[in-house]
Amino acid sequence: MALIIACLSQKGGVGKSTLSRAIATEAWKSGLSVKLADLDTQQGTVAEWHRQRLDNGFDSVGSVEIFNNVDKALASAEGFDLLVLDGTPRASKGTLKMAQCADLVILPTCVSRDDLVPAIRLAYDLEEKKVDKRKLVFALVRVTTPAEIQDGRDFITQSGFSVFDGCLLEKPAYRLAQNNGLSVTETRYKTLNDKANELLESIIEHLQQG
Ligand SMILES: Nc1ncnc2c1ncn2[C@@H]1O[C@H](COP(=O)(O)OP(=O)(O)OP(=O)(O)O)[C@@H](O)[C@H]1O
Ligand SMILES: [Mg+2]
C-alpha cells in the first residue's frame, strides 16, 4: 500500500499544487516510485505542469494523472511507494475522503486572515468528522517577513493545530520555475531551493515521527 500525502484546502490558490509538485519531485529524486494524482479536472494544473516539464526535457516525477474521483486515484496507486493527492480548489465530498485515507494531510495556507480563517475552519470540520488531528498539519506558503511567519504560526497553534517548521517564501522565482515545469526546489537559486527543501524536510520528519 502506498504512503498517501494529501494537499487540501477550503480556499483556492493557496499552494496545494505547488507543494504536491515539490513533494513528488523530491520523492522521485530520492528513488521512490511516485503517483501524483491531480483531482482538479477543471484545471488539471499538475498534469499540465508535468507535460510542460517533459516537453522542456526535464526528468519525469513519476506517473501523473488527472482523476475525477478519489477512489480511482487510490486504486491507481497500487504498487507505488507514494501517492500524492492534489486536492480541488474548493473543499468537496472528495476532500473528506482524501483526508480519511491519507497518512498525512497538508493544509497549505497564506497568512492573511482571509486565508487562515477558512483553512482553520476546514481543519475543524475534518476533525469533527473524525479525521485524526495528528495527521492534519498546516504549511505556511507565500509568506514574506519573519513577523508575518510568526503571526501565521501563532494563529494556527492557538487554534489547536500544528504547523510545519519550514515555510515557502513568496518569490517570483518559484513561479517562474513552475512555469517551466520545475518545482520550487529546482529554481536557479540555490538559497531558494534550500529554503523550499527545509519545508520538505519538515514534512518528511513529521512522517517519520508518525
Ligand atoms: N511561494 C510562492 N511564490 C510565488 N508564487 C507562488 C508561490 N507558491 C505558489 N505560487 C503561485 O500561486 C498560484 C497558486 O498556487 P497553486 O496553484 O499551487 O495553488 P492551488 O492551491 O493548487 O490552487 P487551486 O486551488 O486553484 O488548485 C500559482 O500561480 C503559483 O505559481
Ligand atoms: Mg491546484
Side-chain angles (χ1 to χ4, degrees), residues 193-208:
N193 300 344
D194 289 349
K195 190 75 191 138
N197 268 315
E198 270 176 36
L199 173 58
L200 292 194
E201 277 157 25
S202 316
I203 294 171
I204 293 165
E205 247 169 60
H206 189 277
L207 279 169
Q208 285 168 343

Side-chain angles (χ1 to χ4, degrees), residues 7-21 38 40 43 45-46 86-90 108 110 140-143 167-176 178-179 184:
C7 293
L8 306 176
S9 74
Q10 170 60 45
K11 202 164 175 282
V14 293
K16 297 179 296 295
S17 299
T18 296
L19 292 185
S20 299
R21 292 160 175 165
D38 184 346
D40 182 1
Q43 300 180 82
T45 331
V46 160
D86 178 21
T88 49
R90 301 215 146 267
C110 311
L140 296 179
V141 171
R142 305 189 72 165
V143 286
C167 57
L168 196 63
L169 299 172
E170 164 77 33
K171 295 285 177 188
Y174 285 143
R175 262 196 301 280
L176 188 65
Q178 297 201 87
N179 288 345
V184 290

Side-chain angles (χ1 to χ4, degrees), residues 6-125:
C7 293
L8 306 176
S9 74
Q10 170 60 45
K11 202 164 175 282
V14 293
K16 297 179 296 295
S17 299
T18 296
L19 292 185
S20 299
R21 292 160 175 165
I23 292 165
T25 302
E26 294 307 312
W28 177 263
K29 283 186 190 165
S30 77
L32 298 181
S33 61
V34 179
K35 183 91 198 182
L36 175 53
D38 184 346
L39 274 295
D40 182 1
T41 49
Q42 300 238 313
Q43 300 180 82
T45 331
V46 160
E48 176 54 27
W49 166 83
H50 199 243
R51 195 197 58 71
Q52 185 72 48
R53 184 178 176 93
L54 299 180
D55 214 34
N56 286 346
F58 301 120
D59 287 343
S60 161
V61 303
S63 167
V64 183
E65 224 181 307
I66 307 181
F67 294 94
N68 61 4
N69 103 25
V70 179
D71 287 330
K72 288 184 201 163
L74 295 174
S76 79
E78 184 80 25
F80 284 85
D81 297 321
L82 175 68
L83 169 65
V84 181
L85 297 166
D86 178 21
T88 49
R90 301 215 146 267
S92 62
K93 262 194 308 194
T95 303
L96 174 61
K97 195 162 210 175
M98 284 188 265
Q100 284 166 331
C101 69
D103 298 285
L104 172 65
V105 178
I106 300 178
L107 301 165
T109 181
C110 311
V111 290
S112 68
R113 291 296 178 272
D114 289 347
D115 287 331
L116 277 169
V117 170
I120 296 286
R121 197 177 301 131
L122 174 62
Y124 278 135
D125 193 44

